[in-house]
Amino acid sequence: DFLFFWGAVFLVTTTLVAFLKKENQELIPAKEETKGITDTYRLLFSIIKMPAVLTFCLLILTSKVGFSAADAVTGLKLVEEGVPKEHLALLAVPMVPLQIILPLIISKYTAGPQPLNTFYKAMPYRLLFGLEFAFLVWWAPKVKHEGGFPLYYYAVVVLSYALHQITLYSMYVAIMAFNAKVSDPLIGGTYMTLLNTVSNLGGNWPSTVALWLVDPLTVKECEGAQGHHTCATAAAAE
């Protein structure tokens, strides 16, 4: 019902925009150079071949490896330990206003000549939250009781997620500010799209690898099995 309602709202609003919003017919001289598809890709390859851009792309493609497991797996492991999915979904609600406010606050610190300083400063704290999340997963079965989980456990989870969001958005806003700052205004859209795409890839591929590695790296114990049994694979666990 939730998805159906917002899907309907999305369809109605976008249809209204399509029919009611008129384009400005006045010809405004374009500040940005426009090119065809072939020329745009040639331009992208010429940008990415620049030594500074290539080094930067390699850095942002690997900079989020340390956070991948904590970001991708924590929620799943909490559910595995018995935290209801509905409660985790509710805990995400207070994060929404925080996610709206944070970029407004952080942008003040990334507006200067060195926006990546904020990125560097936030990184060690975000790495430490990986340990904090591991502790939350370890702690879950210790505090669980018949009625579920105590309120103080949920309070610690919400606080941890809120502080984690601060480090996450500090890095996100800083990298966006840097990409905007270094992009050539003549080809700004192409330049920024390239850097932002690489930045998104830098966050997505480590999470995919982390999820793929969860099963082989998880230690499992078998109770009641005859003889030596490791349960290392899905088939063995069955």
Side-chain angles (χ1 to χ4, degrees), residues 29-204:
K31 292 179 183 177
E32 194 173 308
E33 195 178 317
T34 53
K35 293 178 178 287
I37 293 172
T38 312
D39 291 334
T40 302
Y41 275 98
R42 281 204 194 101
L43 185 63
L44 282 171
F45 282 119
S46 66
I47 292 167
I48 209 162
K49 282 192 290 185
M50 292 163 63
V53 174
L54 195 59
T55 306
F56 179 63
C57 287
L58 286 171
L59 286 170
I60 56 175
L61 276 171
T62 53
S63 63
K64 295 175 185 172
V65 171
F67 324 122
S68 56
D71 290 2
V73 185
T74 302
L76 298 172
K77 283 291 174 185
L78 286 174
V79 171
E80 195 178 277
E81 293 296 346
V83 179
K85 281 182 276 191
E86 298 82 9
H87 292 182
L88 278 180
L90 279 173
L91 295 181
V93 174
M95 299 300 120
V96 175
L98 187 68
Q99 288 165 353
I100 295 167
I101 295 163
L102 278 173
L104 298 172
I105 299 167
I106 296 161
S107 60
K108 294 176 185 176
Y109 301 96
T110 57
Q114 295 178 312
L116 280 185
N117 280 354
T118 307
F119 184 92
Y120 300 142
K121 286 173 184 173
M123 186 177 271
Y125 296 104
R126 192 170 169 190
L127 284 168
L128 285 170
F129 275 109
L131 296 175
E132 160 75 358
F133 287 169
F135 168 75
L136 288 176
V137 173
W138 172 84
W139 193 30
K142 313 285 182 193
V143 294
K144 188 180 179 182
H145 50 74
E146 286 182 12
F149 290 85
L151 278 174
Y152 65 81
Y153 181 76
Y154 287 119
V156 173
V157 171
V158 169
L159 182 63
S160 300
Y161 268 100
L163 293 171
H164 175 258
Q165 288 293 312
I166 294 170
T167 61
L168 188 152
Y169 272 83
S170 295
M171 293 181 70
Y172 176 76
V173 174
I175 207 83
M176 291 295 154
F178 180 80
N179 291 348
K181 196 173 185 64
V182 299
S183 297
D184 185 341
L186 280 176
I187 48 166
T190 308
Y191 213 124
M192 266 202 77
T193 302
L194 172 68
L195 295 179
N196 289 345
T197 301
V198 175
S199 181
N200 289 335
L201 276 172
N204 289 336

